[in-house]
Amino acid sequence: MSEEEDPGEIQVEIQDGQREETQGEDDYFRSYSDVSVHELMLRDHPRLIAYRDGIEKNAQLFQGKIVLDVGCGTGIMSMFAARAGARKVYAVEASNIYEKAEALVRENGFSDKIQVIHDVIENVELSEKVDIIISEWMGFYLLHESMLGSVIDARERFLKEDGKMVPSSGKIYICPVAMEQFRKQNVDFWQSYYGLNFSSIGEEIMTARMATPFVEQISSSELLSKPQEFANIDFNRIERSQLVSLTGEFSFGIERDSELAGFAFWFDCDFTLDSPSPIILDTAPSSEPTHWKQTTVFLGVFAQVQKGEQVDVKATMLQDEMNPRHYKISIQT
Amino acid sequence: MSEEEDPGEIQVEIQDGQREETQGEDDYFRSYSDVSVHELMLRDHPRLIAYRDGIEKNAQLFQGKIVLDVGCGTGIMSMFAARAGARKVYAVEASNIYEKAEALVRENGFSDKIQVIHDVIENVELSEKVDIIISEWMGFYLLHESMLGSVIDARERFLKEDGKMVPSSGKIYICPVAMEQFRKQNVDFWQSYYGLNFSSIGEEIMTARMATPFVEQISSSELLSKPQEFANIDFNRIERSQLVSLTGEFSFGIERDSELAGFAFWFDCDFTLDSPSPIILDTAPSSEPTHWKQTTVFLGVFAQVQKGEQVDVKATMLQDEMNPRHYKISIQT
């Protein structure tokens, strides 16, 4: 990267996302009351098979056990747990989708095993400790929505000493990206537009898109180096206080001559538990697309980089004080 | 169709659309101020080539002429007209996108020929009559948005006796449809959902989707009969009063055993003018998809129909008194 193009430090925040469009706790839960939001998640096949396999290929762990599902949505994961032999599942859901969960539990014959509780998890009281906590709490770049904090609280209050978390751990990855496809669509396309120069339209669209983290599926051909671990989180041990700020310094070896657009973030989660083969939900560019896609933070300029060059970056995810469900992601090169 | 399944008369209205999300005139124009709305239209290739060819393959009509572009947006059609030899183009735009039109006209060197006017067309005064009116006013099923009324007013006030309208005419089509893909995605998919019965989720999603006209691209394999003309409108002659209510009675010969889901509407527009070969913007299911897609009005039930059966239908498009930019589409079988 040449010095004059160094954009220095940038800080950006996702202003809205597909799974959360408004601020405030009421709005947060309201956004999950709509069936169409759940449709998006229920049609996310890699998400479903990770939970299904993580639960059903570990059926011996679930046999006769007490399970807590934090934010059960339509109740699908609770039903997987019941089907895997759980004796009792507490399915907690704060949004109005709990009504659908109740109906689906009944329609699928699990009313004797699954108890749907309509409340925020923080208000829930249980008469017993649980053996397993399942939860699908992951947001964009893992931490967006900050629902993990509620899952940690539930773990502290309800999980037995030797209890299991499903998923059990997760990693956030960071990688420099070229975003050539993005530029082709937003710059090149407008330069010769039906014989006219519409570049200024393209610039306006691109500037708007680059101002906040860009949540889109990117091709693995956009990666300019090997991804590195930004964070590796053990969901059995992580404390809420550790989620306020995550930071890391990285040195990437650039693998081809290109222009560096920014850094992409994504995550995986581990559902292996006692299964003999790994069960991983992987949202990498090279994996089957999920509704989490990847989150790209742009530098604001496209910096020339050459094969063999080292790019050093300090990346930080800082929980927003005003809206703790959001993070500010900053990139310092 | 068996009698007990006859849904009788249904009336439906599009509640929102991609090109117009809110009611009221201010909101209507505001919805066109955002560049991203124009991006959708500017990336609609069949739309662009119909206007480009309709104008540039009729360059002899434009040579030295005065042109009015009603609702010019980014000014693209005005620039096609200038490039085809127009002496002067009045490019009228009520929304704030006029600023982009001004910039693009300047950047493309047409400032001497194109005058961008920021106003609603009804308030515009011109010192001369025009030879040609171009306008891209079409909404879903042609008439949604009711912008044609403003174009008619402009024609009455500004077009010379022997002036031309571009496009010159349009047809609305109606056809019974099976919507098998829609049912597969919204019914079958949920019936065996990872080994569970999620039918009630599918029913809720489908009921919501069927309550208003469904604007989606459908496959031509969904058509159960030959499409028929619901309306054939000459833009040089149509009067505003004729757009309040359009109605037609049709008898369709069903071409295969299936279930009838409803009726799809779409349109084409004619840009041929003096060109030796036809220039048609066609939004049929069999044509290259456009952002207008097709508009399907559901019966609410799926009625068994057999090959050779006749299905009689009376269809009406009635301008909504409360919100004249919307139509109520009613289907009586």
Side-chain angles (χ1 to χ4, degrees):
Chain A
M1 202 185 316
S2 35
E3 199 58 38
E4 62 275 22
E5 284 165 330
D6 184 348
E9 183 173 7
I10 57 155
Q11 256 196 22
V12 284
E13 193 178 354
I14 293 182
Q15 293 304 327
D16 51 57
Q18 281 168 287
R19 294 181 60 177
E20 180 197 3
E21 287 196 335
T22 45
Q23 300 189 348
E25 288 303 283
D26 285 354
D27 287 335
Y28 176 70
F29 292 118
R30 202 173 297 124
S31 75
Y32 281 104
S33 296
D34 183 10
V35 171
S36 65
V37 174
H38 290 273
E39 184 183 5
L40 177 73
M41 297 187 289
L42 290 169
R43 288 188 186 274
D44 184 338
H45 185 60
R47 170 183 180 269
L48 267 296
I49 53 168
Y51 278 87
R52 186 199 61 188
D53 291 353
I55 293 167
E56 299 195 343
K57 291 189 175 172
N58 284 292
Q60 74 291 353
L61 291 179
F62 282 81
Q63 283 292 336
K65 295 295 171 56
I66 313 294
V67 176
L68 170 61
D69 181 354
V70 180
C72 72
T74 56
I76 177 73
M77 313 308 180
S78 292
M79 287 186 257
F80 289 156
R83 201 162 65 177
R87 179 156 54 91
K88 173 85 185 179
V89 184
Y90 297 103
V92 177
E93 175 56 46
S95 90
N96 283 333
I97 199 73
Y98 88 95
E99 292 176 1
K100 290 306 301 174
E102 281 188 335
L104 288 163
V105 163
R106 194 173 53 242
E107 286 155 14
N108 284 278
F110 291 115
S111 298
D112 58 332
K113 291 189 170 173
I114 301 173
Q115 180 183 344
V116 177
I117 302 171
H118 179 217
D119 211 335
V120 293
I121 185 72
E122 287 79 0
N123 292 345
V124 168
E125 299 291 342
L126 297 180
S127 57
E128 58 187 337
K129 293 264 182 180
V130 306
D131 301 290
I132 299 170
I133 290 180
I134 55 177
S135 181
E136 198 283 77
W137 52 267
M138 296 87 82
F140 301 132
Y141 59 87
L142 191 65
L143 298 179
H144 190 68
E145 298 187 48
S146 301
M147 190 180 146
L148 177 55
S150 295
V151 178
I152 292 170
D153 286 353
R155 183 193 71 198
E156 298 301 302
R157 293 178 62 212
F158 302 119
L159 191 64
K160 291 180 185 169
E161 276 287 295
D162 58 347
K164 306 272 188 193
M165 300 291 285
V166 181
S168 59
S169 65
K171 292 175 185 165
I172 303 175
Y173 297 88
I174 177 173
C175 191
V177 287
M179 301 302 274
E180 279 158 8
Q181 197 55 34
F182 175 86
R183 294 180 77 186
K184 203 172 279 179
Q185 284 169 359
N186 291 297
V187 181
D188 302 4
F189 176 78
W190 301 103
Q191 272 167 358
S192 177
Y193 180 75
Y194 298 93
L196 297 165
N197 175 12
F198 264 48
S199 301
S200 64
I201 288 277
E203 279 161 27
E204 188 165 333
I205 292 167
M206 207 164 78
T207 302
R209 241 157 242 178
M210 283 167 44
T212 54
F214 181 67
V215 180
E216 275 302 334
Q217 187 70 27
I218 63 178
S219 159
S220 49
S221 67
E222 303 289 3
L223 305 183
L224 291 174
S225 185
K226 277 178 210 34
Q228 296 187 34
E229 282 181 27
F230 172 75
N232 184 346
I233 305 175
D234 180 341
F235 304 139
N236 272 88
R237 295 173 192 279
I238 184 85
E239 298 296 330
R240 204 165 183 153
S241 61
Q242 295 174 277
L243 296 174
V244 174
S245 174
L246 287 84
T247 193
E249 293 185 28
F250 307 92
S251 188
F252 289 99
I254 297 296
E255 293 177 349
R256 61 184 170 90
D257 293 357
S258 181
E259 288 183 300
L260 171 65
F263 292 84
F265 295 86
W266 65 87
F267 66 91
D268 64 22
C269 277
D270 195 325
F271 293 76
T272 307
L273 299 168
D274 288 357
S275 164
S277 52
I279 303 169
I280 308 287
L281 171 59
D282 188 359
T283 69
S286 55
S287 295
E288 188 182 340
T290 71
H291 79 287
W292 288 287
K293 306 171 181 177
Q294 294 85 39
T295 300
T296 300
V297 175
F298 286 92
L299 296 172
V301 296
F302 294 88
Q304 287 285 344
V305 288
Q306 291 184 324
K307 185 173 173 172
E309 187 178 341
Q310 289 294 121
V311 169
D312 298 325
V313 62
K314 182 181 175 187
T316 303
M317 291 188 184
L318 184 68
Q319 210 169 10
D320 187 351
E321 285 180 20
M322 297 298 288
N323 181 4
R325 292 209 176 271
H326 288 188
Y327 277 79
K328 287 195 168 116
I329 308 177
S330 64
I331 293 288
Q332 204 174 346
T333 50
Chain B
M1 201 185 314
S2 35
E3 198 59 37
E4 61 275 22
E5 283 166 330
D6 183 349
E9 182 173 9
I10 57 156
Q11 258 196 23
V12 283
E13 192 178 357
I14 293 183
Q15 293 304 327
D16 50 58
Q18 282 169 289
R19 294 181 61 177
E20 179 198 3
E21 287 196 335
T22 45
Q23 301 189 348
E25 288 301 285
D26 285 354
D27 287 335
Y28 177 70
F29 292 119
R30 202 173 297 125
S31 75
Y32 281 103
S33 296
D34 183 10
V35 171
S36 65
V37 173
H38 290 273
E39 184 184 5
L40 176 73
M41 298 188 288
L42 290 169
R43 287 188 187 274
D44 185 338
H45 185 59
R47 170 183 179 270
L48 267 297
I49 53 168
Y51 278 88
R52 186 199 62 189
D53 291 353
I55 293 168
E56 300 194 342
K57 291 189 175 172
N58 283 292
Q60 73 292 351
L61 291 179
F62 283 81
Q63 284 290 337
K65 295 295 171 55
I66 313 294
V67 176
L68 170 61
D69 182 354
V70 181
C72 73
T74 56
I76 178 74
M77 314 307 179
S78 292
M79 287 186 257
F80 289 156
R83 201 162 64 177
R87 180 155 54 90
K88 173 86 186 179
V89 184
Y90 297 103
V92 177
E93 175 56 46
S95 91
N96 282 333
I97 198 72
Y98 89 94
E99 292 175 2
K100 290 307 300 176
E102 281 187 335
L104 288 164
V105 163
R106 193 173 55 242
E107 285 154 16
N108 284 279
F110 291 116
S111 298
D112 58 331
K113 290 192 170 172
I114 301 175
Q115 180 184 345
V116 177
I117 302 172
H118 180 217
D119 212 334
V120 293
I121 184 72
E122 287 79 1
N123 291 345
V124 168
E125 299 291 342
L126 297 181
S127 58
E128 58 187 337
K129 293 263 183 182
V130 306
D131 300 290
I132 299 171
I133 290 179
I134 56 177
S135 182
E136 198 282 77
W137 53 266
M138 295 88 82
F140 300 132
Y141 59 87
L142 191 64
L143 298 180
H144 191 69
E145 298 187 45
S146 301
M147 191 181 146
L148 178 55
S150 294
V151 177
I152 292 170
D153 285 353
R155 183 193 72 199
E156 297 301 303
R157 292 177 62 211
F158 302 121
L159 191 65
K160 291 180 186 170
E161 276 287 295
D162 58 346
K164 305 272 189 195
M165 300 291 285
V166 181
S168 59
S169 64
K171 291 175 187 166
I172 303 175
Y173 297 88
I174 177 173
C175 191
V177 286
M179 301 301 273
E180 279 158 8
Q181 196 55 34
F182 176 85
R183 293 181 77 185
K184 203 172 279 179
Q185 284 170 358
N186 291 298
V187 181
D188 302 4
F189 176 77
W190 302 103
Q191 272 167 359
S192 177
Y193 179 75
Y194 298 93
L196 297 165
N197 175 12
F198 264 48
S199 301
S200 64
I201 288 276
E203 278 160 27
E204 188 165 333
I205 292 167
M206 209 166 75
T207 302
R209 241 156 243 177
M210 284 166 45
T212 54
F214 181 68
V215 180
E216 275 302 334
Q217 187 70 27
I218 62 178
S219 159
S220 49
S221 67
E222 303 290 2
L223 305 183
L224 292 174
S225 185
K226 278 177 209 33
Q228 295 187 36
E229 282 181 28
F230 172 75
N232 184 345
I233 305 176
D234 179 342
F235 304 140
N236 272 88
R237 295 173 193 278
I238 184 86
E239 299 296 331
R240 204 164 183 153
S241 60
Q242 294 173 278
L243 296 173
V244 173
S245 174
L246 287 85
T247 194
E249 292 184 27
F250 307 92
S251 187
F252 289 100
I254 297 297
E255 292 177 351
R256 61 184 170 89
D257 293 356
S258 182
E259 288 184 299
L260 171 65
F263 293 83
F265 294 86
W266 65 86
F267 66 90
D268 64 22
C269 279
D270 195 326
F271 293 77
T272 306
L273 299 168
D274 289 357
S275 163
S277 52
I279 303 169
I280 308 287
L281 171 59
D282 188 0
T283 69
S286 55
S287 294
E288 189 182 339
T290 70
H291 79 287
W292 288 286
K293 305 170 181 177
Q294 293 85 37
T295 300
T296 299
V297 175
F298 285 93
L299 297 173
V301 296
F302 294 89
Q304 288 285 345
V305 287
Q306 292 184 324
K307 184 173 173 173
E309 187 178 341
Q310 290 294 121
V311 169
D312 297 325
V313 61
K314 183 180 174 187
T316 303
M317 291 188 184
L318 184 68
Q319 211 168 11
D320 187 349
E321 286 181 18
M322 296 298 288
N323 181 3
R325 291 209 177 271
H326 288 189
Y327 277 79
K328 288 195 167 117
I329 308 178
S330 64
I331 293 290
Q332 206 175 344
T333 50

